[in-house]
């Protein structure tokens, strides 16, 4: 197993154990930076992300915001599939735009004006969800927009994470299906993929018990704001580097 992939999974799995996203959001730019192709990166990270989300859903599925989830199915998923089909002929860099938006969302708990502006923006939910689908299909960065809109709903800790996890897992399922249909093959051995998955699930179980369970609701909201802010900075830096 490659050490760069192991280190990437170690860091991003801990993040996803807390927030419901992280493996794809941060793992994608890291593995691309280490020289892996986009399709190879998806092949490694999608099974890991999907498996972690499945565990989170199994534990707290009763708290999923079902209304929001069905809107994701209707307005986001079709555009993820379409955008992924078009990926090989596109060269889109939306990192800076998404990054600025995440910083904006992350500051809502510290500014009533920003919170009011965000509520106005989220009113255009259908357009937001469609844009999220296009961005995720082309760049794998849709998880950042997903966490932003779920965070704006001010749900309880478990509901926030499992709603994000349910939508994100659905993204992964349709991405994997699209890659299969389009016959996107890589040189990665199945044994290596399974090994990475087992390693990541072990890290997830440890992080779940050591970190997530100990976080109170109010602490979680503040941590989530910080997570969005840092995500924004990372995406801006990545887009201009």
């Amino acid at each position: 197993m490659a050490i760069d992939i192991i280190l990437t999974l170690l860091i991003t799995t801990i993040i996803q154990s807390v927030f419901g996203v992280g493996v794809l959001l941060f793992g994608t730019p890291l593995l691309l930076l280490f020289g892996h192709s986009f399709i190879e990166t998806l092949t490694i990270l999608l099974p890991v992300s999907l498996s972690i989300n499945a565990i989170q859903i199994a534990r707290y599925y009763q708290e999923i915001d079902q209304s929001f989830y069905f809107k994701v199915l209707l307005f986001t998923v079709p555009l993820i599939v379409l955008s992924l089909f078009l990926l090989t002929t596109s060269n889109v860099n939306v990192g800076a735009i998404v990054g600025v938006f995440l910083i904006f969302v992350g500051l809502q708990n510290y500014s009533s004006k920003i919170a009011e502006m965000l509520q106005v923006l989220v009113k255009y939910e259908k357009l937001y969800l469609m844009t999220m689908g296009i961005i995720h299909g082309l760049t794998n960065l849709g998880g950042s927009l997903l966490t932003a809109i779920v965070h704006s709903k001010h749900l309880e800790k478990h509901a926030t994470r499992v709603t994000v996890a349910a939508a994100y897992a659905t993204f992964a399922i349709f991405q994997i299906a699209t890659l299969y249909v389009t016959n996107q093959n890589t040189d990665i051995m199945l044994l290596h993929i399974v090994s990475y998955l087992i390693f990541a699930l072990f890290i997830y179980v440890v992080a779940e018990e050591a970190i997530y369970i100990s976080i109170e609701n109010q602490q979680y909201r503040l941590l989530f704001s910080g997570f969005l802010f840092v995500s924004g900075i990372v995406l801006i830096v990545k887009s201009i580097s």
Side-chain angles (χ1 to χ4, degrees):
M1 294 191 292
I3 188 63
D4 57 340
I5 297 176
I6 290 296
L7 291 175
T8 297
L9 290 176
L10 173 64
I11 296 168
T12 60
T13 297
I14 293 173
I15 295 172
Q16 185 148 330
S17 72
V18 177
F19 300 111
V21 302
V23 170
L24 291 177
L25 179 59
F26 296 117
T28 299
L30 283 173
L31 291 188
L32 291 176
L33 183 63
F34 288 134
H36 299 276
S37 70
F38 187 74
I39 298 301
E40 184 177 300
T41 296
L42 289 181
T43 302
I44 295 168
L45 298 182
L46 281 172
V48 172
S49 180
L50 178 58
S51 298
I52 292 173
N53 286 152
I55 296 173
Q56 293 168 333
I57 294 167
R59 294 191 66 176
Y60 299 105
Y61 66 91
Q62 303 96 330
E63 300 191 48
I64 295 173
D65 185 332
Q66 295 184 14
S67 174
F68 174 77
Y69 177 74
F70 285 122
K71 289 177 184 177
V72 167
L73 280 179
L74 183 61
F75 297 107
T76 304
V77 169
L79 288 171
I80 289 177
V81 174
L82 177 61
S83 299
L84 192 53
F85 266 120
L86 300 175
L87 177 66
T88 55
T89 59
S90 303
N91 184 20
V92 180
N93 186 352
V94 295
I97 298 174
V98 175
V100 171
F101 177 74
L102 289 184
I103 292 173
F104 178 78
V105 175
L107 292 174
Q108 70 168 313
N109 284 330
Y110 306 96
S111 170
S112 59
K113 290 185 177 180
I114 289 179
E116 291 172 4
M117 292 171 64
L118 185 62
Q119 288 304 313
V120 172
L121 180 61
V122 173
K123 286 182 180 179
Y124 300 99
E125 191 172 57
K126 294 177 182 178
L127 178 60
Y128 185 103
L129 294 176
M130 293 170 70
T131 302
M132 181 170 71
I134 294 171
I135 290 174
H136 193 71
L138 291 176
T139 68
N140 236 14
L141 300 179
S144 54
L145 294 176
L146 173 63
T147 53
I149 192 170
V150 173
H151 180 61
S152 72
K153 294 179 179 297
H154 305 291
L155 302 173
E156 182 269 338
K157 165 186 167 182
H158 296 319
T160 296
R161 190 181 72 162
V162 75
T163 299
V164 169
Y168 214 45
T170 304
F171 290 3
I173 289 170
F174 279 91
Q175 285 176 285
I176 291 171
T178 303
L179 291 177
Y180 178 79
V181 170
T182 56
N183 196 29
Q184 298 290 338
N185 297 316
T186 69
D187 295 328
I188 304 175
M189 295 176 59
L190 178 60
L191 177 62
H192 288 169
I193 295 175
V194 173
S195 298
Y196 293 136
L197 177 59
I198 293 172
F199 170 78
L201 289 178
F202 171 76
I203 297 299
Y204 167 76
V205 171
V206 174
E208 172 89 357
E209 296 297 325
I211 302 174
Y212 178 75
I213 291 179
S214 65
I215 302 174
E216 300 294 333
N217 274 316
Q218 184 58 31
Q219 292 176 321
Y220 190 78
R221 288 195 57 78
L222 294 176
L223 281 173
F224 215 108
S225 293
F227 167 72
L228 293 173
F229 188 87
V230 172
S231 298
I233 297 295
V234 169
L235 292 179
I236 291 173
V237 171
K238 175 183 176 294
S239 68
I240 62 178
S241 60

